[in-house]
């Protein structure tokens, strides 16, 4: 099995460790959970979640295309 991993390791993009990540848990906790507690549906929270996700992605350097 080790030879397969050694061969595959050369295929990994060298910049992988430098990618930014967006913390979806923060968005969920700040936008979805309060709405669910207020008896709203998940579907009704999606526009707010989308806006927050787009904003957060932009702040860490992603380009958001609609």
């Amino acid at each position: 099995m080790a030879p397969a991993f050694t061969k595959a390791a050369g295929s990994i993009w060298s910049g992988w460790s430098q990618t930014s990540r967006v913390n979806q848990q923060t968005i969920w906790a700040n936008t979805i959970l309060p709405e669910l507690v207020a008896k709203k549906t998940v579907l009704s929270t999606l526009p707010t979640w989308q806006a927050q996700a787009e904003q957060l992605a932009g702040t860490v350097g992603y380009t958001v295309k609609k």
Side-chain angles (χ1 to χ4, degrees), residues 4 13 21 43-45 58 66:
W13 174 52
R21 299 182 190 253
L43 185 61
S44 71
T45 67
K66 294 182 183 182

Side-chain angles (χ1 to χ4, degrees), residues 20-25 27 52-54 56-60 62:
S20 298
R21 299 182 190 253
V22 176
N23 185 346
Q24 291 295 326
Q25 291 177 347
I27 297 171
Q52 292 292 319
E54 290 172 355
L56 185 57
T59 64
V60 295
Y62 288 100

Side-chain angles (χ1 to χ4, degrees), residues 2-13:
F5 285 115
T6 301
K7 183 178 178 182
S11 301
I12 298 172
W13 174 52

Side-chain angles (χ1 to χ4, degrees), residues 31-49:
T31 62
I32 306 296
L33 287 179
E35 297 296 317
L36 295 178
V37 170
K39 305 291 184 196
K40 296 193 177 175
T41 66
V42 171
L43 185 61
S44 71
T45 67
L46 293 181
T48 303
W49 174 87

